[in-house]
Structure formats: structure tokens, C-alpha cells
Amino acid sequence: MVRWVGMLLLLLVLTLVSARPVAADAAAGTAAAASTDDLPAVAVPERTARRLGLRPGAVIEVSPRPFTEQGARRRFRVAVVWAPPEHPADVAREDLLLRFHLPDLESLLAADRTPVRNRQLARDRPAPPGRPPAPDRLPARGGNPAQDAGDGAGPADVVDRVVVRLRHRQRAEVVARDLDALVPGVDVYTAEEVARHVSRTFVVVSRFHRAIGVVTLLAGAIFLVTIMSLKLTEMRREIGALRLLGVSRATIGLAVLAIAAAAALLGTLVGMGVGAALVAAINAYYRPLFETRLRFAVLVPQTLLAAAVLAVVLGVGAGAAVAARLLRRPPLEQVGR
Amino acid sequence: MVWLLARRTLRRALSRTVLLVAGVTIAGALLFDMSMLGGGLERSLALSLGRLHYELRVLPAGTLPFATEATIPDAGRAARRIAAHPEVAWAAPLLGTTLYAEANERRRAAFAYGLTPEVPDIVRVEGPGRAGVVVNRPLAEALDLRPGDTLRLATRISPQTGTPERVITVRVGALGEFAFDLAGQRTLALPLADLQALLGAGAGEASLLLVKVRPGADPERVAAWIEDAFPALDALSVAAIVAEIRRQLTYFAHFATVLSAVSLLVAFLLIGAVLTLAVGERLGELAALRAIGLSRARLVLLILMEGLVVAGVSTPLALLLGAAISDPLDAILRSAPGVPCELHFFVGSPAAVARTVALLLLTGTLGAAYPAWVAGRLNVAATLHREVQ
């Protein structure tokens, strides 16, 4: 039914003096090539490598405990520095990450007798001072191997989760249900469920942005209507003169609407330019600040279209209202006589 | 005289004034909301932390409370050593972890606190408490629990059989409310020693230590001493915790700054544009005022006053509207996962009100600066001549 890929990737939060999960220390320079080739390999994400000053071939010493305490220590060779896919939830976090081969990490923790605790979904860490929410379903877990394997034993064959690749991706939900029933004590999530889970914060932020957008649009709409009213009121003498010359109300009304639409459209174009400049400025500021390739602001065609339509509709609406009012008045009154 | 003229002018073009005030009101409301949002969560967090009657939280270095699985080994001994400091009233370990809770043939995951008797405020017990664990309402409702019921707690579920392993049976003593609970979070509290035994944790292992300093003592000095004495630990005061999470709140601070600037720009342009057009319509009237003896300075003051009046009328409306729309905006943000129920993003304060009032009045006056300059440069004779043509 399924093919186990057998590759489990554990992300370890590296706070240099934290007792859990591990502490790492970059060994001075790179040790002699002959000896380092025999060291177990570790992969380092770009951001971590930058902060620790690591390059491929560098040697780091890793311990599950702070270096101020007694604990197992092991040297690892940085095999690769790579750019992992970034997630917005991790942008503001300053965690340092290392990626080990599973047996290497197991043996390090076993040597240290580090107990394994209940864990939450890796991406569901709440912002302090919150804590893991208690979901109805916890991710797959091991137990406390210190008890499983007898006193003094470290973690043996215990993992946080297992990743499964399917032959037929579209059957993910069916397979998840089957596995749920098949393996008691673990919960099975499809990739879509995990994506939904980790995106909840951003859904909320999007809703907040939309709400703020409505308020901003309201202010903009009033601005537009006020300016359009003023502008057309200013034209009352010209309108009066045109009517005295025999130009029909309909022609003048259409001309007024055209002026209103043109002004609104011109304003929209300028606004789009300002918006694009702001988007560029926001990305230029935040991307280096958070050391990420993610874009913080994006200008999409839908936004541009909505802004243009809204501006033209409001502008023309305001123009129509003012034109109707002006055209009702006698021409002589309009020219001030 | 100038004040009277300014009011009369605005009243004369009532529909325009109403539109102008409406625009400035909405921009002002947005400004007020952004004043509440910028630093609001920090203020809310500081208030909530301040309500707990201990000043310091001692954690494994580089971590924040419950943000990682890091624990303090031999925390009991560390707590006793800290409590012996002359400026410390008490120090107590606290352990937090997720357990499985089972009762009435239902099973749910719940966050468990291991507490010692001296720790106040983490949980507020509802009604008369009996001996036993304290559970919060969501957990009680999920498992249909009442005081006196028995509850099975387990650290793990067997992958082979699906049954709980390492189980203890406890009695529900009372229902309670926990500080910093997330919306819908199921929480319980039990004695620290029981939770340590259930987890098989090492002697005295804890997630953090809570430290109460004596009245008059400086928490920062005690924190510095703790960090000197225990190099593997961080001692965080309320201010330090707020500072630690400030970076994570950068988004809100910057968002508030950008939107404040946008709302001020809208108000500035609106007042400036409307008054400029209005001055253009009233050149003859303004020239006549100059001709009958109104000084240039007073004419400039008249236009500036019009801007100030618009801002002044809009300000209370802006504050009311801002306060009204801050609640739904706050509710949207608080629906995000991982936000404790008692925290708010939009927090009103006298400073936020003062900032909004000052900025709106200043913007109103500055918005009127250009039309005032136009009015000040008016050539009386030429303008009057043009007006009577």
C-alpha cells in the first residue's frame, strides 16, 4: 500500500547554551583533513552557517547539554551548507538548526541518556509566553525510552514523526485513514492538513489586513468624493457659460463624467506607482533584517484591478452626483449673475 | 474675530465641511488604532506578567518559558540556593508538559503544570477546592469532569496497542482558571513531585524557576546574581521577557508605524487640498477682508485656524470611532493560534490618546499651511479688480 522512504529529518533547536536539544561549538578552523573525513556529517542551513561562521568541511562539536555541564560531546563535519525552503512562521525566530543522519543523532542522545519528551508539531511552537496548545491529536510520538529500555538507556529507535511518500499522491487521505486505523497511538496527517495547520496564523493576519484595508479604502473613498466634488464645483462658471452657448445638459454631463473618470484613473496610476515603490521598499528593508528570501509584500494584478475599478467607480459616482446638482441650477446663476 | 470667521466659513460650506471632517475622522481613527497596536501586545503582556506576584523567571539559557523542551536539571537545589539569597523571598520550580488525560471513556491531550504550594496566581481555583488536581473548564467539558471524579494521566500511548502507558490515577480537586491559557486549551495542575515522578524526570527537574524578590529589592540585581551563580541559566524580569519577544513583535510595530504615516498623510492631503480649493474660491472675499484692514498675519492665522478647527472637530469623533473598531480588529488578531486569552493587541492608553490628539491637531494645522501661504501672498488690488470684472 505504501512505500516507506525511511528518511526522517529531525530539526534541532540550537541555543548555544541550552540544555535541550543540543549545543554546538565550532571547532577552531578545520582539523586535519585525514581525521575530519572520518567524522559523521551534518548539514547546516545557510542562516545557521552564517551565524556560526561555518563552511563545508568545518568541524563542530555538538552536545545535548550546555558546554558548562558534563555531557556527551561529539564532533561532526559540516558536509553541506544549503538553503532550505523557508516558512514565514520561522522568519522572526532566531533558532539555529542542524540536520543530522538519524543514527548519528540517536547515538549522541543515547550516549548522553537524554530523555525524549512529549513534543508538539515542530511548526506549532507558540510565541512566548504561550505554550503548546493541547490538540485533540498529537503528532506521532515515541515514549520515554529511558523507561522503555531500562534505566540508564538512551533513546532507542524513537522518533518524533515518520515521513511517508505515496505512489499515488491523490490517495493521501485514504491512506492516512488506513494508517490511523492500523497503527494505534500515532496520528497521521496529510501534507494538506499540515499545511493548513501551519498556515493558520497567516490566515488570521490576512483577515486583519483585509479589515484594515476596508478602513483605509473608506478614508480614500471619502477623500476622492470630497476632491471630486470640490473640483467640479470649481467648474461651475465654465459649465454655466457652456450652457449659455447652447451646449446640451447631456453633453456637459458626459464631459463631467469623463473628467471625473480621467482624474480618478490618473490618481489610480500614481497610487499604483506609490504602492509599487512601497512594496519594493518594504521588501528591501525586511529581507535583510530577517535574513530571508521571502517577500513581505507582493503587488498582485487583482489588487491593482480592484484599486482601479474602485477609484473609477467612486470618482465617476462623485462626478455624477455633483454634475446632477450643478446642471439643475440656472446657467446665469452658475456664472454668478 | 479670526476664530469667528473660521467657524463661519466652515459652516457656510456645510456639505464640504462634513465630508472633510468625515475623511479626517476615519484617518484619525486609523491613527488611534495604530497608536494602540504599536506596543499594545507588549503592554498587555507586561500587565499580565506584572499581575503574577513574582518578579523573575529562571530558565535554561537562551530559552523562553515553554518555548522549548529545555529543562533545568536538579532545579530543587538551584531553587533552594536562590531562595537563600538575602534579597529573595522565595524561589520555586515549575514543570510544564503535555500529557494524555482519560476519564469517562474519553481521552484528550492536556497541558500539565507541576506546581509547588508557594506558587501563586498561575491557577485561580473556582469555588471551594478539595485535595487533588485542578482542571480548567475546557478540559472538564471535554472529559465531563466534576470535582471528586477520578482522572487517569499518561505520558504516552503505546504505538502497538493504543493504550496509555505510564499511568497515574488522580482525583479532580477543583476547577480553575490558568494564567496564559490559549483559547480552548485544556490545562491541569498537579503537585510538582507527582508530575516529576510520572515523567520519570530526574530529581528536581523543572521547566523554570519562579523567583519572588523581597519588597524594596531590585529584581535586576538579583537576576544578575543568578546568572553569575548559574552560568547555564537566564534570569528574566518582566522587562527582560518583553524585550526578548520584542523582535517577534517587530511586524506589529512597523505595521503600526507605516499605517500611522499613511493615515496622517491622508488627513494632511485632504485638509490641504480642500482648503486650497476653498481659498481659491474665496480670493475676492479674502482680498476684501485685507482691504478693510485685516492684517496679513491675521489672514494667515484665519486659514490655519480653519485647518485646526477641522482637526479639532474630527479628533473626538476619531477617538470614538477608533475605539469602536479596535475591538473587532483585536478579535481578529486574537483568533491566531498561540495567543493567550488574556493578551490583547490593541491596548488603549493615555499616551495613545495624547499622541493621536497631538498628531491630528498638528496635521490639521500643517495641512492648512499651503493655502494660508497662498492667502498671505494675496495682491489685494489685483484680486479685487479681477473679481469685479
Side-chain angles (χ1 to χ4, degrees):
Chain A
M1 183 174 57
V2 295
R3 176 160 55 90
W4 295 85
V5 169
M7 186 180 77
L8 182 90
L9 302 171
L10 290 180
L11 296 177
L12 285 184
V13 180
L14 264 184
T15 45
L16 290 180
V17 282
S18 164
R20 180 98 178 101
V22 296
D25 193 15
T30 55
S35 60
T36 59
D37 284 349
D38 300 333
L39 292 175
V42 62
V44 185
E46 261 180 358
R47 192 193 290 194
T48 301
R50 215 170 20 247
R51 291 191 187 163
L52 293 180
L54 298 176
R55 282 200 298 272
V59 174
I60 56 173
E61 196 170 27
V62 177
S63 167
R65 300 192 178 278
F67 288 117
T68 51
E69 292 178 20
Q70 289 297 313
R73 296 184 187 187
R74 194 154 295 177
R75 295 168 82 225
F76 286 84
R77 176 177 50 86
V78 177
V80 65
V81 172
W82 96 112
E86 293 180 281
H87 190 278
D90 295 335
V91 159
R93 299 177 58 206
E94 295 178 305
D95 298 338
L96 302 176
L97 302 173
L98 296 179
R99 190 172 279 193
F100 299 87
H101 289 295
L102 181 57
D104 293 339
L105 181 62
E106 278 184 319
S107 66
L108 176 69
L109 297 179
D112 193 75
R113 302 181 182 185
T114 305
V116 176
R117 278 291 174 77
N118 289 353
R119 293 166 185 258
Q120 54 189 319
L121 278 171
R123 291 211 186 277
D124 193 32
R125 296 186 191 98
R131 68 183 65 85
D136 282 328
R137 305 177 353 141
L138 289 180
R141 69 185 61 249
N144 185 335
Q147 278 70 45
D148 294 348
D151 282 350
D157 201 21
V158 170
V159 295
D160 290 307
R161 77 203 69 156
V162 174
V163 183
V164 180
R165 174 172 290 169
L166 303 181
R167 288 200 180 94
H168 305 292
R169 185 184 291 187
Q170 64 275 16
R171 288 181 47 79
E173 283 192 27
V174 177
V175 174
R177 272 203 309 273
D178 287 349
L179 286 176
D180 242 346
L182 193 70
V183 190
V186 303
D187 291 313
V188 184
Y189 301 94
T190 63
E192 285 73 20
E193 282 176 319
V194 174
R196 264 201 307 275
H197 182 82
V198 300
S199 299
R200 283 183 307 168
T201 299
F202 300 96
V203 170
V204 168
V205 169
S206 291
R207 273 172 46 209
F208 174 67
H209 284 174
R210 278 199 295 275
I212 289 286
V214 168
V215 178
T216 313
L217 281 176
L218 197 56
I222 287 176
F223 189 119
L224 192 63
V225 170
T226 308
I227 296 298
M228 204 56 80
S229 308
L230 274 170
K231 194 64 211 162
L232 294 175
T233 306
E234 215 183 19
M235 290 169 57
R236 71 183 185 281
R237 285 188 181 187
E238 290 91 323
I239 291 170
L242 287 169
R243 286 189 58 198
L244 288 172
L245 287 170
V247 180
S248 71
R249 285 185 183 193
T251 304
I252 293 172
L254 282 173
V256 167
L257 291 185
I259 291 167
L265 209 51
L266 189 65
T268 303
L269 290 173
V270 173
M272 284 175 183
V274 172
L278 271 175
V279 164
I282 285 166
N283 286 327
Y285 177 77
Y286 281 104
R287 288 169 99 174
L289 182 73
F290 290 108
E291 298 175 351
T292 178
R293 293 181 306 281
L294 292 170
R295 287 184 296 168
F296 288 79
V298 184
L299 200 57
V300 292
Q302 295 94 309
T303 306
L304 296 174
L305 188 66
V309 168
L310 197 71
V312 172
V313 166
L314 283 169
V316 170
V322 176
R325 206 179 62 204
L326 284 175
L327 291 170
R328 272 201 305 269
R329 293 163 73 180
L332 283 174
E333 189 185 310
Q334 285 179 332
V335 294
R337 291 287 181 273
Chain B
M1 165 72 171
V2 168
W3 173 244
L4 178 79
L5 277 173
R7 279 186 309 159
R8 277 178 173 273
T9 304
L10 290 168
R11 212 177 296 160
R12 196 170 49 192
L14 196 58
S15 60
R16 178 193 303 167
T17 304
V18 167
L19 275 174
L20 183 55
V21 167
V24 176
T25 296
I26 292 173
L30 199 56
L31 176 67
F32 183 45
D33 282 341
M34 292 307 111
S35 298
M36 288 195 277
L37 177 66
L41 192 61
E42 277 181 49
R43 281 195 294 275
S44 179
L45 177 60
L47 279 170
S48 297
L49 289 172
R51 275 197 291 269
L52 302 172
H53 292 101
Y54 41 86
E55 292 80 7
L56 299 176
R57 289 138 187 92
V58 180
L59 305 138
T63 67
L64 286 169
F66 305 117
T68 71
E69 298 165 46
T71 54
I72 302 169
D74 208 3
R77 189 190 299 179
R80 284 191 295 277
R81 192 174 153 197
I82 291 168
H85 188 279
E87 290 185 290
V88 173
W90 55 258
L94 182 151
L95 182 59
T97 190
T98 305
L99 297 177
Y100 290 97
E102 205 175 59
N104 301 316
E105 297 181 348
R106 299 181 201 171
R107 183 191 299 158
R108 292 287 185 275
F111 189 81
Y113 283 107
L115 298 172
T116 52
E118 61 265 56
V119 177
D121 305 320
I122 293 268
V123 56
R124 196 170 58 246
V125 174
E126 299 171 13
R130 290 187 281 184
V133 303
V134 181
V135 300
N136 73 348
R137 283 208 171 276
L139 181 59
E141 284 164 11
L143 300 181
D144 194 21
L145 290 172
R146 289 174 188 77
D149 289 354
T150 55
L151 176 68
R152 282 156 48 88
L153 300 175
T155 59
R156 61 169 295 190
I157 304 296
S158 164
Q160 285 74 37
T161 63
T163 53
E165 293 185 347
R166 291 199 55 80
V167 181
I168 58 166
T169 302
V170 293
R171 187 171 295 280
V172 176
L175 299 186
E177 274 186 21
F178 289 79
F180 297 117
D181 260 1
L182 309 179
Q185 180 181 308
R186 295 176 292 272
T187 313
L188 65 107
L190 66 163
L192 174 68
D194 292 355
L195 184 57
Q196 286 172 335
L198 177 63
L199 291 173
E205 190 175 319
S207 304
L208 67 155
L209 306 176
L210 307 175
V211 179
K212 167 79 180 162
V213 301
R214 292 192 187 282
D218 178 10
E220 300 295 343
R221 194 169 56 232
V222 176
W225 171 79
I226 291 170
E227 289 183 359
D228 274 350
F230 301 91
L233 301 180
D234 278 347
L236 300 178
S237 61
V238 171
I241 286 185
V242 170
E244 283 284 333
I245 68 159
R246 189 165 289 145
R247 180 179 155 90
Q248 296 185 36
L249 304 178
T250 303
Y251 161 80
F252 292 109
H254 290 190
F255 185 84
T257 303
V258 170
L259 265 247
S260 296
V262 168
S263 59
L264 284 173
L265 187 65
V266 167
F268 174 83
L269 288 175
L270 191 57
I271 291 170
V274 170
L275 289 185
T276 302
L277 289 169
V279 163
E281 283 180 356
R282 293 159 47 205
L283 287 176
E285 177 196 320
L286 296 174
L289 284 172
R290 287 277 289 115
I292 61 173
L294 192 74
S295 70
R296 192 183 297 272
R298 288 177 77 77
L299 190 65
V300 168
L301 188 63
L302 168 66
I303 307 299
L304 291 177
M305 194 66 80
E306 286 178 18
L308 189 64
V309 168
V310 167
V313 171
S314 306
T315 298
L317 300 172
L319 294 175
L320 288 172
L321 182 64
I325 60 178
S326 69
D327 279 346
L329 290 175
D330 194 47
I332 290 173
L333 285 177
R334 290 176 67 215
S335 67
V339 179
C341 298
E342 63 202 73
L343 292 191
H344 292 270
F345 289 81
F346 289 80
V347 180
S349 67
V353 172
R355 179 174 175 263
T356 305
V357 170
L359 284 174
L360 267 186
L361 294 180
L362 182 67
T363 303
T365 310
L366 288 177
Y370 175 71
W373 179 74
V374 169
R377 289 179 64 247
L378 204 62
N379 184 319
V380 179
T383 308
L384 285 174
H385 185 262
R386 200 170 45 244
E387 287 291 319
V388 297
Q389 287 300 307

